[in-house]
């Protein structure tokens, strides 16, 4: 039996959206994002503190008894929509979603896990999973880190997102999941396509970690977090696509050629109408994924795979259309369109490629291969 999804936004979700959007409009203008990206340190600690601690978005997935908001995936999805709309350089996906979900998948009653969850929910610490950004749900988990004894870890993990902003890293080793202070590891920065989400190679050479979970529990927790992360990433892609559509329509209405708005040309109308349909469909699939995760629907893995398989392509198409229909200005560094194109392209690789998720859809739906 198919699941009936609630695709509408509640009043509480809209209020949350308004608060986050107002903050980002005031503190995360495209010019500010560009300026920080050029410095090589895109994260804005003050913006993160306001978003995570003062508004309370870092604790949306954390139960109230552990200091969180006791909300759910639908609310987190709304936040990610707005962060995607602003290509905000904050570690929300990695810390408030992936790391939080991993910890919740362990035993939250243990002091080590509960204490870390409280720190994350309060916005006092940033915690990032030491996993490649491309790690996909349903794919084999990496096994590059070894425990040499007594929680002393050795190994290297590549392409870890937001590691430069982390206070604590969650490291999956052969003997379980460990919390490792960032000061214990060595970071080598990489040049990412998306400058707002920096990547680094994490090297552990005798790093001391605190054991949080045994190997079986750790791998199950990481697998569940990857599923949630992929489902909520679709909302970030939705927000990105909506910004590209809105700004492109605004531009072609004001841009004139032959004494006419270029948006009045029939060919452009067709392209933008098709893009509007794509974005509307992306909204439905992203909302379905968030609702399935929030309600623990049995077909959540299928719904998430559908959302990622579809929303990745829509975000890239929307960003490409934005750059092209802005004409010459769309190709310049000063215009923010390139930030959205790079984020869309990077998101299409994050937590699994569209091809990987298409394969998952076929497997979950029991579709025969050609």
């Amino acid at each position: 039996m198919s699941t009936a999804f609630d695709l509408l936004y509640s009043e509480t979700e809209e209020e949350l959206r308004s608060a986050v959007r107002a903050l980002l409009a005031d503190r995360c203008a495209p010019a500010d994002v560009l300026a920080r990206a050029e410095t090589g340190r895109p994260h804005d600690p003050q913006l993160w503190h306001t978003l995570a601690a003062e508004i309370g978005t870092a604790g949306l997935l954390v139960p109230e008894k552990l200091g969180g908001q006791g909300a759910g995936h639908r609310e987190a999805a709304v936040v990610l929509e707005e962060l995607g709309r602003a290509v905000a350089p904050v570690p929300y996906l990695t810390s408030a979603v992936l790391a939080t979900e991993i910890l919740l998948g362990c035993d939250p009653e243990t002091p080590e896990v509960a204490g870390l969850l409280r720190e994350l929910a309060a916005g006092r610490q940033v915690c990032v999973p030491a996993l490649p950004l491309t790690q996909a749900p349903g794919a084999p988990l990496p096994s590059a880190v070894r425990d040499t004894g007594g929680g002393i870890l050795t190994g290297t993990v590549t392409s870890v997102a937001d590691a430069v902003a982390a206070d604590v890293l969650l490291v999956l080793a052969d003997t379980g999941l460990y919390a490792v202070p960032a000061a214990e590891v060595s970071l080598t920065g990489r040049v990412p396509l998306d400058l707002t989400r920096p990547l680094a190679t994490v090297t552990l050479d005798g790093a001391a970690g605190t054991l949080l979970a045994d190997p079986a529990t750790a791998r199950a927790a990481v697998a569940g977090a990857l599923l949630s992360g992929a489902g909520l990433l679709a909302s970030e892609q939705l927000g990105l696509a909506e910004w590209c559509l809105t700004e492109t329509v605004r531009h072609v209405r004001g841009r004139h050629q032959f004494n006419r708005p270029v948006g009045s040309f029939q060919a452009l109308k067709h392209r933008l109408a098709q893009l509007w349909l794509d974005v509307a469909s992306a909204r439905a699939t992203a909302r379905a994924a968030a609702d399935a995760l929030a309600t623990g629907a049995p077909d959540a893995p299928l719904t998430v795979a559908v959302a990622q398989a579809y929303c990745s392509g829509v975000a890239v198409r929307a960003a490409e259309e934005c750059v092209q229909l802005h004409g010459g200005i769309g190709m310049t560094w000063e215009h923010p369109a390139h930030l959205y194109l790079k984020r869309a392209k990077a998101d299409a690789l994050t937590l699994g490629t569209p091809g990987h998720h298409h394969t998952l859809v076929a497997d979950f739906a029991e579709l025969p291969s050609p």
Side-chain angles (χ1 to χ4, degrees):
M1 180 180 294
S2 61
T3 303
F5 298 111
D6 181 3
L7 306 184
L8 301 179
Y9 297 97
S10 68
E11 183 178 346
T12 301
E13 290 164 2
E14 291 293 0
E15 291 174 354
L16 175 61
R17 180 195 305 282
S18 297
V20 174
R21 184 175 295 188
L23 171 66
L24 296 175
D26 182 53
R27 305 268 292 278
C28 194
D32 298 331
V33 177
L34 278 169
R36 295 194 68 88
E38 288 179 316
T39 68
R41 299 187 65 84
H43 293 117
D44 184 343
Q46 293 183 338
L47 172 63
W48 173 248
H49 175 75
T50 304
L51 178 72
E54 296 182 16
I55 297 181
T57 61
L60 287 175
L61 297 177
V62 180
E64 292 185 63
K65 66 179 182 179
L66 293 174
Q69 305 301 320
H73 298 85
R74 290 173 58 93
E75 290 79 6
V78 169
V79 174
L80 280 164
E81 281 184 40
E82 296 307 311
L83 296 179
R85 190 188 300 272
V87 286
V90 293
Y92 191 83
L93 178 67
T94 48
S95 183
V97 176
L98 289 173
T100 299
E101 288 277 35
I102 290 174
L103 292 171
L104 290 172
C106 301
D107 183 2
E109 300 298 325
T110 61
E112 296 81 7
V113 175
L116 191 48
L117 279 171
R118 289 184 183 278
E119 291 295 302
L120 296 188
R124 290 189 291 264
Q125 287 192 333
V126 172
C127 184
V128 170
L131 294 168
L133 185 61
T134 55
Q135 182 65 44
L141 295 175
S143 56
V145 178
R146 301 293 178 186
D147 179 6
T148 59
I152 304 302
L153 308 177
T154 300
T156 299
V157 186
T158 61
S159 301
V160 178
D162 297 326
V164 294
D167 300 297
V168 179
L169 294 168
L170 295 182
V171 179
L172 181 64
D174 56 339
T175 54
L177 181 73
Y178 291 83
V180 179
E184 292 279 331
V185 307
S186 174
L187 300 180
T188 304
R190 299 302 182 198
V191 180
L193 174 62
D194 175 16
L195 296 177
T196 66
R197 185 170 278 157
L199 302 177
T201 295
V202 175
T203 302
L204 301 100
D205 186 8
T210 301
L211 182 64
L212 302 178
D214 61 76
T217 301
R219 290 186 168 271
V222 170
L226 292 173
L227 178 67
S228 294
L232 295 182
L233 177 63
S235 292
E236 177 179 292
Q237 293 165 324
L238 167 62
L240 186 155
E242 286 182 330
W243 184 93
C244 291
L245 174 61
T246 300
E247 286 301 305
T248 304
V249 170
R250 182 193 60 77
H251 177 76
V252 299
R253 280 178 171 173
R255 174 71 174 170
H256 285 68
Q257 287 184 358
F258 310 112
N259 205 32
R260 291 176 55 189
V262 297
S264 66
F265 299 156
Q266 194 72 10
L268 297 192
K269 286 183 177 180
H270 288 168
R271 288 169 66 172
L272 290 172
Q274 182 59 55
L275 185 56
W276 184 90
L277 291 172
D278 291 343
V279 172
S281 298
R283 183 180 301 109
T285 56
R287 291 300 294 167
D291 191 65
L293 292 169
T295 58
D299 55 356
L302 172 60
T303 308
V304 167
V306 169
Q308 262 308 298
Y310 187 76
C311 291
S312 290
V314 171
V316 171
R317 287 196 299 275
E320 289 174 342
E321 289 284 52
C322 181
V323 170
Q324 186 171 27
L325 295 184
H326 271 79
I329 186 63
M331 298 296 294
T332 64
W333 180 265
E334 290 75 14
H335 195 278
H338 69 91
L339 288 175
Y340 290 84
L341 179 59
K342 292 169 183 173
R343 172 66 70 88
K345 289 283 191 178
D347 276 358
L349 302 176
T350 299
L351 301 177
T353 64
H356 173 81
H357 289 285
H358 275 109
T359 300
L360 290 181
V361 171
D363 291 341
F364 292 140
E366 299 181 355
L367 298 175
S369 59

